[in-house]
Amino acid sequence: MEEYSREPCPYRIVDDCGGAFAMGCIGGGVFQAIKGFRNAPSGLQRRFIGSITSIKARSPIIAGNFAVWGGMFSTIDCTLVHFRKKEDPWNSIISGAATGGILAARNGVGAMAGSAIIGGVLLALIEGVGILFTRLSAEQFKNPSPHDQPPQDPSVLGDPNKAGFSFGQAPPSYQKDR
Amino acid sequence: MSDDYLSKPLSIGDNDLGLAPAPRQTIPKFQSPYLNYDTRYMRQAQPEFIFPEGASKQRGRFELAFSQIGSAVMIGAGIGGAAGLYNGMRATSLANQTGKLRRTQMLNHIMKQGAGTANTLGTIAVMYSLFGVILSQVREDDEINTVIAGTASGLFYKSTAGLRKCAIGGGLGLAISSAWVLYNLSGSKFNKNYM
């Protein structure tokens, strides 16, 4: 159902950008809360203040980075859908690698390659887990094969007295030959 | 009944909708009666949609939240980038910077202000969506939720900046969300489902 629950392609960019921003904002908020709490000077009051300051200072930036990643990923994904005329896991893997590479473009070729590999492997893992879950959940909907189990009603095999069909010779009848 | 039903559009009773009989068309000899009925009997007052079993009929706030946040981020990046372009122009011409230096400074201004505005608007949108989703879970979803969520996100965003600024932020949120709700209520009735 994944293909039907998501937005169609050009609008998916906005959707993914927003999802990534929300994820970064909330997840980054939690992370920065812990980090600010640990790095603050002693005293519970000061620790909470440090936590809030850290959230306010850092979590929008993390969210923005996430949003850029999500938006870029989705843009490349939609471009690939347009040009390859199909939607498959390779689209996600390619666009993950390309996004990682492009966003590290200012850091040199080595960093670009490293980021691209990390992005591609990450997206391949995500897609692989998705396919695995689809397989596992499809298993329980499989119909039982009718050949594997004995028939519940023996009468479907026909009248056992009337040998309508048999291999080899016909059964001898003893009554008339006497 | 003769085999006339093969050549005549299907109708229930004796023309009980008060419609004029459908115009006779030249119909090929063998046509399924399932494909040959008067389509005027299928009139609907409104379009019908098929929903998966158990799904709620309307897209809720949660389904709309990500698009709202994403559009807020993108609009913020656009506005911030334009403002950064203007500010960068002014700052570089005041400092008499030219050439490579000016280009780099312009890029710095645009990227910095664009990212800042995008983050601000996106954070406010995240807060609004969070409050809206929680409210729509707690009570039924209506326009009051929009106003409460707008006010709460204004208050929450400015909650560490002092009481006065906090109140100003809440008032701003209240004003914007009320204006939005009033605009939607005065407009078409189909619009109010998309807040």
Side-chain angles (χ1 to χ4, degrees), chain A residues 7 13-15 17-19 21-22 52 56 60-61 64, chain B residues 59 66-67 69-71 73-74 119 122-123 126 130 160:
Chain A
E7 298 269 327
I13 300 170
V14 179
D15 217 76
C17 184
F21 191 94
I52 289 170
K56 271 164 55 182
I61 297 171
Chain B
R59 291 212 298 173
F66 289 150
S67 334
I69 296 167
S71 11
V73 172
M74 287 183 176
N119 287 347
T123 311
V126 168
L130 211 61
T160 52

PDB file of all heavy atoms in Angstrom, chain A residues 7 13-15 17-19 21-22 52 56 60-61 64, chain B residues 59 66-67 69-71 73-74 119 122-123 126 130 160:
ATOM      1  N   GLU A   7       2.110  10.765  -1.386  1.00  0.00           N
ATOM      2  CA  GLU A   7       1.659  11.767  -2.329  1.00  0.00           C
ATOM      3  C   GLU A   7       2.201  11.447  -3.724  1.00  0.00           C
ATOM      4  O   GLU A   7       3.230  10.802  -3.850  1.00  0.00           O
ATOM      5  CB  GLU A   7       2.185  13.140  -1.903  1.00  0.00           C
ATOM      6  CG  GLU A   7       1.688  13.593  -0.567  1.00  0.00           C
ATOM      7  CD  GLU A   7       0.423  14.396  -0.711  1.00  0.00           C
ATOM      8  OE1 GLU A   7       0.276  15.088  -1.717  1.00  0.00           O
ATOM      9  OE2 GLU A   7      -0.408  14.316   0.185  1.00  0.00           O
ATOM     10  N   ILE A  13       7.844  15.979  -2.748  1.00  0.00           N
ATOM     11  CA  ILE A  13       9.027  16.704  -2.296  1.00  0.00           C
ATOM     12  C   ILE A  13       8.691  17.521  -1.057  1.00  0.00           C
ATOM     13  O   ILE A  13       9.403  17.492  -0.055  1.00  0.00           O
ATOM     14  CB  ILE A  13       9.557  17.599  -3.429  1.00  0.00           C
ATOM     15  CG1 ILE A  13       9.922  16.743  -4.639  1.00  0.00           C
ATOM     16  CG2 ILE A  13      10.738  18.401  -2.974  1.00  0.00           C
ATOM     17  CD1 ILE A  13      10.221  17.526  -5.874  1.00  0.00           C
ATOM     18  N   VAL A  14       7.563  18.255  -1.127  1.00  0.00           N
ATOM     19  CA  VAL A  14       7.140  19.066   0.012  1.00  0.00           C
ATOM     20  C   VAL A  14       6.883  18.178   1.226  1.00  0.00           C
ATOM     21  O   VAL A  14       7.308  18.465   2.349  1.00  0.00           O
ATOM     22  CB  VAL A  14       5.881  19.873  -0.351  1.00  0.00           C
ATOM     23  CG1 VAL A  14       5.425  20.699   0.822  1.00  0.00           C
ATOM     24  CG2 VAL A  14       6.123  20.746  -1.543  1.00  0.00           C
ATOM     25  N   ASP A  15       6.209  17.057   0.957  1.00  0.00           N
ATOM     26  CA  ASP A  15       5.848  16.140   2.033  1.00  0.00           C
ATOM     27  C   ASP A  15       7.088  15.571   2.720  1.00  0.00           C
ATOM     28  O   ASP A  15       7.185  15.541   3.947  1.00  0.00           O
ATOM     29  CB  ASP A  15       5.020  15.017   1.422  1.00  0.00           C
ATOM     30  CG  ASP A  15       3.910  14.570   2.332  1.00  0.00           C
ATOM     31  OD1 ASP A  15       2.913  15.307   2.404  1.00  0.00           O
ATOM     32  OD2 ASP A  15       4.052  13.523   2.960  1.00  0.00           O
ATOM     33  N   CYS A  17      10.117  16.777   2.631  1.00  0.00           N
ATOM     34  CA  CYS A  17      10.854  17.864   3.281  1.00  0.00           C
ATOM     35  C   CYS A  17      10.256  18.138   4.657  1.00  0.00           C
ATOM     36  O   CYS A  17      10.977  18.241   5.660  1.00  0.00           O
ATOM     37  CB  CYS A  17      10.785  19.101   2.385  1.00  0.00           C
ATOM     38  SG  CYS A  17      11.710  20.491   2.943  1.00  0.00           S
ATOM     39  N   GLY A  18       8.929  18.213   4.725  1.00  0.00           N
ATOM     40  CA  GLY A  18       8.269  18.467   6.002  1.00  0.00           C
ATOM     41  C   GLY A  18       8.463  17.329   6.978  1.00  0.00           C
ATOM     42  O   GLY A  18       8.714  17.562   8.172  1.00  0.00           O
ATOM     43  N   GLY A  19       8.364  16.094   6.486  1.00  0.00           N
ATOM     44  CA  GLY A  19       8.565  14.953   7.378  1.00  0.00           C
ATOM     45  C   GLY A  19       9.964  14.933   7.955  1.00  0.00           C
ATOM     46  O   GLY A  19      10.154  14.699   9.153  1.00  0.00           O
ATOM     47  N   PHE A  21      11.933  17.524   8.300  1.00  0.00           N
ATOM     48  CA  PHE A  21      12.091  18.648   9.226  1.00  0.00           C
ATOM     49  C   PHE A  21      11.490  18.299  10.581  1.00  0.00           C
ATOM     50  O   PHE A  21      12.101  18.558  11.627  1.00  0.00           O
ATOM     51  CB  PHE A  21      11.416  19.897   8.659  1.00  0.00           C
ATOM     52  CG  PHE A  21      11.753  21.149   9.413  1.00  0.00           C
ATOM     53  CD1 PHE A  21      12.788  21.960   8.992  1.00  0.00           C
ATOM     54  CD2 PHE A  21      11.052  21.513  10.539  1.00  0.00           C
ATOM     55  CE1 PHE A  21      13.112  23.101   9.687  1.00  0.00           C
ATOM     56  CE2 PHE A  21      11.374  22.654  11.241  1.00  0.00           C
ATOM     57  CZ  PHE A  21      12.402  23.442  10.801  1.00  0.00           C
ATOM     58  N   ALA A  22      10.294  17.716  10.566  1.00  0.00           N
ATOM     59  CA  ALA A  22       9.646  17.366  11.833  1.00  0.00           C
ATOM     60  C   ALA A  22      10.474  16.343  12.596  1.00  0.00           C
ATOM     61  O   ALA A  22      10.682  16.470  13.818  1.00  0.00           O
ATOM     62  CB  ALA A  22       8.250  16.817  11.567  1.00  0.00           C
ATOM     63  N   ILE A  52      17.413  23.644  27.857  1.00  0.00           N
ATOM     64  CA  ILE A  52      16.524  24.467  27.018  1.00  0.00           C
ATOM     65  C   ILE A  52      17.334  25.335  26.064  1.00  0.00           C
ATOM     66  O   ILE A  52      16.999  25.468  24.880  1.00  0.00           O
ATOM     67  CB  ILE A  52      15.616  25.321  27.933  1.00  0.00           C
ATOM     68  CG1 ILE A  52      14.597  24.413  28.618  1.00  0.00           C
ATOM     69  CG2 ILE A  52      14.909  26.383  27.134  1.00  0.00           C
ATOM     70  CD1 ILE A  52      13.831  25.107  29.695  1.00  0.00           C
ATOM     71  N   LYS A  56      17.091  25.287  21.999  1.00  0.00           N
ATOM     72  CA  LYS A  56      16.772  26.479  21.219  1.00  0.00           C
ATOM     73  C   LYS A  56      17.862  26.797  20.218  1.00  0.00           C
ATOM     74  O   LYS A  56      17.590  27.256  19.103  1.00  0.00           O
ATOM     75  CB  LYS A  56      16.585  27.676  22.162  1.00  0.00           C
ATOM     76  CG  LYS A  56      15.167  27.828  22.639  1.00  0.00           C
ATOM     77  CD  LYS A  56      15.072  28.742  23.832  1.00  0.00           C
ATOM     78  CE  LYS A  56      15.688  30.089  23.590  1.00  0.00           C
ATOM     79  NZ  LYS A  56      15.619  30.917  24.797  1.00  0.00           N
ATOM     80  N   PRO A  60      16.727  23.625  15.731  1.00  0.00           N
ATOM     81  CA  PRO A  60      16.272  24.079  14.402  1.00  0.00           C
ATOM     82  C   PRO A  60      17.314  23.869  13.320  1.00  0.00           C
ATOM     83  O   PRO A  60      16.963  23.594  12.164  1.00  0.00           O
ATOM     84  CB  PRO A  60      15.991  25.560  14.609  1.00  0.00           C
ATOM     85  CG  PRO A  60      15.776  25.722  16.036  1.00  0.00           C
ATOM     86  CD  PRO A  60      16.658  24.722  16.699  1.00  0.00           C
ATOM     87  N   ILE A  61      18.603  23.955  13.690  1.00  0.00           N
ATOM     88  CA  ILE A  61      19.649  23.769  12.677  1.00  0.00           C
ATOM     89  C   ILE A  61      19.676  22.319  12.224  1.00  0.00           C
ATOM     90  O   ILE A  61      19.750  22.012  11.025  1.00  0.00           O
ATOM     91  CB  ILE A  61      21.017  24.208  13.253  1.00  0.00           C
ATOM     92  CG1 ILE A  61      20.957  25.702  13.578  1.00  0.00           C
ATOM     93  CG2 ILE A  61      22.136  23.912  12.292  1.00  0.00           C
ATOM     94  CD1 ILE A  61      22.148  26.196  14.325  1.00  0.00           C
ATOM     95  N   GLY A  64      16.788  21.794  10.023  1.00  0.00           N
ATOM     96  CA  GLY A  64      17.016  22.348   8.700  1.00  0.00           C
ATOM     97  C   GLY A  64      17.886  21.443   7.853  1.00  0.00           C
ATOM     98  O   GLY A  64      17.618  21.223   6.667  1.00  0.00           O
TER      99      GLY A  64
ATOM    100  N   ARG B  59      -8.939  13.413   5.312  1.00  0.00           N
ATOM    101  CA  ARG B  59      -7.542  13.407   5.713  1.00  0.00           C
ATOM    102  C   ARG B  59      -7.424  14.241   6.979  1.00  0.00           C
ATOM    103  O   ARG B  59      -7.836  15.398   7.026  1.00  0.00           O
ATOM    104  CB  ARG B  59      -6.673  14.007   4.620  1.00  0.00           C
ATOM    105  CG  ARG B  59      -6.610  13.135   3.414  1.00  0.00           C
ATOM    106  CD  ARG B  59      -5.313  13.252   2.735  1.00  0.00           C
ATOM    107  NE  ARG B  59      -5.103  14.615   2.261  1.00  0.00           N
ATOM    108  CZ  ARG B  59      -3.981  15.015   1.736  1.00  0.00           C
ATOM    109  NH1 ARG B  59      -2.982  14.204   1.627  1.00  0.00           N
ATOM    110  NH2 ARG B  59      -3.850  16.244   1.316  1.00  0.00           N
ATOM    111  N   PHE B  66       2.730  17.029   7.485  1.00  0.00           N
ATOM    112  CA  PHE B  66       4.035  17.031   6.838  1.00  0.00           C
ATOM    113  C   PHE B  66       4.056  17.986   5.656  1.00  0.00           C
ATOM    114  O   PHE B  66       5.047  18.672   5.430  1.00  0.00           O
ATOM    115  CB  PHE B  66       4.396  15.617   6.396  1.00  0.00           C
ATOM    116  CG  PHE B  66       4.710  14.711   7.542  1.00  0.00           C
ATOM    117  CD1 PHE B  66       4.469  13.360   7.456  1.00  0.00           C
ATOM    118  CD2 PHE B  66       5.231  15.222   8.710  1.00  0.00           C
ATOM    119  CE1 PHE B  66       4.763  12.533   8.520  1.00  0.00           C
ATOM    120  CE2 PHE B  66       5.525  14.408   9.774  1.00  0.00           C
ATOM    121  CZ  PHE B  66       5.291  13.056   9.681  1.00  0.00           C
ATOM    122  N   SER B  67       2.949  18.023   4.900  1.00  0.00           N
ATOM    123  CA  SER B  67       2.933  18.971   3.780  1.00  0.00           C
ATOM    124  C   SER B  67       2.975  20.403   4.290  1.00  0.00           C
ATOM    125  O   SER B  67       3.634  21.258   3.701  1.00  0.00           O
ATOM    126  CB  SER B  67       1.690  18.767   2.925  1.00  0.00           C
ATOM    127  OG  SER B  67       1.216  17.488   3.021  1.00  0.00           O
ATOM    128  N   ILE B  69       4.333  21.495   7.108  1.00  0.00           N
ATOM    129  CA  ILE B  69       5.680  21.815   7.582  1.00  0.00           C
ATOM    130  C   ILE B  69       6.611  22.028   6.397  1.00  0.00           C
ATOM    131  O   ILE B  69       7.399  22.982   6.356  1.00  0.00           O
ATOM    132  CB  ILE B  69       6.195  20.687   8.493  1.00  0.00           C
ATOM    133  CG1 ILE B  69       5.345  20.573   9.747  1.00  0.00           C
ATOM    134  CG2 ILE B  69       7.637  20.922   8.885  1.00  0.00           C
ATOM    135  CD1 ILE B  69       5.581  19.316  10.526  1.00  0.00           C
ATOM    136  N   GLY B  70       6.500  21.122   5.407  1.00  0.00           N
ATOM    137  CA  GLY B  70       7.366  21.253   4.247  1.00  0.00           C
ATOM    138  C   GLY B  70       7.142  22.553   3.504  1.00  0.00           C
ATOM    139  O   GLY B  70       8.099  23.228   3.108  1.00  0.00           O
ATOM    140  N   SER B  71       5.861  22.948   3.334  1.00  0.00           N
ATOM    141  CA  SER B  71       5.641  24.219   2.630  1.00  0.00           C
ATOM    142  C   SER B  71       6.125  25.382   3.464  1.00  0.00           C
ATOM    143  O   SER B  71       6.654  26.348   2.909  1.00  0.00           O
ATOM    144  CB  SER B  71       4.176  24.405   2.243  1.00  0.00           C
ATOM    145  OG  SER B  71       3.352  23.475   2.828  1.00  0.00           O
ATOM    146  N   VAL B  73       8.693  25.381   5.497  1.00  0.00           N
ATOM    147  CA  VAL B  73      10.151  25.433   5.353  1.00  0.00           C
ATOM    148  C   VAL B  73      10.532  26.043   4.009  1.00  0.00           C
ATOM    149  O   VAL B  73      11.394  26.929   3.913  1.00  0.00           O
ATOM    150  CB  VAL B  73      10.743  24.016   5.495  1.00  0.00           C
ATOM    151  CG1 VAL B  73      12.213  24.023   5.147  1.00  0.00           C
ATOM    152  CG2 VAL B  73      10.559  23.494   6.893  1.00  0.00           C
ATOM    153  N   MET B  74       9.835  25.595   2.939  1.00  0.00           N
ATOM    154  CA  MET B  74      10.222  26.082   1.612  1.00  0.00           C
ATOM    155  C   MET B  74       9.899  27.555   1.441  1.00  0.00           C
ATOM    156  O   MET B  74      10.696  28.318   0.882  1.00  0.00           O
ATOM    157  CB  MET B  74       9.509  25.252   0.549  1.00  0.00           C
ATOM    158  CG  MET B  74      10.095  23.866   0.449  1.00  0.00           C
ATOM    159  SD  MET B  74       9.330  22.927  -0.855  1.00  0.00           S
ATOM    160  CE  MET B  74      10.303  21.442  -0.775  1.00  0.00           C
ATOM    161  N   ASN B 119      14.269  27.780   9.087  1.00  0.00           N
ATOM    162  CA  ASN B 119      14.221  27.052  10.356  1.00  0.00           C
ATOM    163  C   ASN B 119      13.168  27.627  11.285  1.00  0.00           C
ATOM    164  O   ASN B 119      12.442  26.889  11.944  1.00  0.00           O
ATOM    165  CB  ASN B 119      15.588  27.099  11.034  1.00  0.00           C
ATOM    166  CG  ASN B 119      16.590  26.226  10.339  1.00  0.00           C
ATOM    167  OD1 ASN B 119      16.221  25.410   9.513  1.00  0.00           O
ATOM    168  ND2 ASN B 119      17.846  26.400  10.657  1.00  0.00           N
ATOM    169  N   GLY B 122       9.695  26.752   9.915  1.00  0.00           N
ATOM    170  CA  GLY B 122       9.473  25.320  10.034  1.00  0.00           C
ATOM    171  C   GLY B 122       9.240  24.901  11.471  1.00  0.00           C
ATOM    172  O   GLY B 122       8.371  24.062  11.745  1.00  0.00           O
ATOM    173  N   THR B 123      10.003  25.494  12.401  1.00  0.00           N
ATOM    174  CA  THR B 123       9.807  25.149  13.813  1.00  0.00           C
ATOM    175  C   THR B 123       8.419  25.547  14.281  1.00  0.00           C
ATOM    176  O   THR B 123       7.745  24.789  15.004  1.00  0.00           O
ATOM    177  CB  THR B 123      10.873  25.844  14.664  1.00  0.00           C
ATOM    178  OG1 THR B 123      12.139  25.620  14.074  1.00  0.00           O
ATOM    179  CG2 THR B 123      10.874  25.312  16.069  1.00  0.00           C
ATOM    180  N   VAL B 126       6.042  23.059  12.938  1.00  0.00           N
ATOM    181  CA  VAL B 126       6.083  21.800  13.688  1.00  0.00           C
ATOM    182  C   VAL B 126       5.271  21.937  14.972  1.00  0.00           C
ATOM    183  O   VAL B 126       4.475  21.053  15.329  1.00  0.00           O
ATOM    184  CB  VAL B 126       7.536  21.404  14.006  1.00  0.00           C
ATOM    185  CG1 VAL B 126       7.577  20.279  15.017  1.00  0.00           C
ATOM    186  CG2 VAL B 126       8.243  20.956  12.756  1.00  0.00           C
ATOM    187  N   LEU B 130       1.955  19.888  15.880  1.00  0.00           N
ATOM    188  CA  LEU B 130       1.955  19.057  17.084  1.00  0.00           C
ATOM    189  C   LEU B 130       0.732  19.369  17.941  1.00  0.00           C
ATOM    190  O   LEU B 130      -0.014  18.466  18.353  1.00  0.00           O
ATOM    191  CB  LEU B 130       3.236  19.323  17.860  1.00  0.00           C
ATOM    192  CG  LEU B 130       3.830  18.189  18.668  1.00  0.00           C
ATOM    193  CD1 LEU B 130       4.178  17.050  17.733  1.00  0.00           C
ATOM    194  CD2 LEU B 130       5.064  18.667  19.397  1.00  0.00           C
ATOM    195  N   THR B 160      10.302  31.366  26.198  1.00  0.00           N
ATOM    196  CA  THR B 160      11.500  31.634  26.998  1.00  0.00           C
ATOM    197  C   THR B 160      11.971  33.075  26.857  1.00  0.00           C
ATOM    198  O   THR B 160      13.001  33.436  27.402  1.00  0.00           O
ATOM    199  CB  THR B 160      12.642  30.709  26.551  1.00  0.00           C
ATOM    200  OG1 THR B 160      12.788  30.807  25.145  1.00  0.00           O
ATOM    201  CG2 THR B 160      12.351  29.284  26.926  1.00  0.00           C
TER     202      THR B 160
END
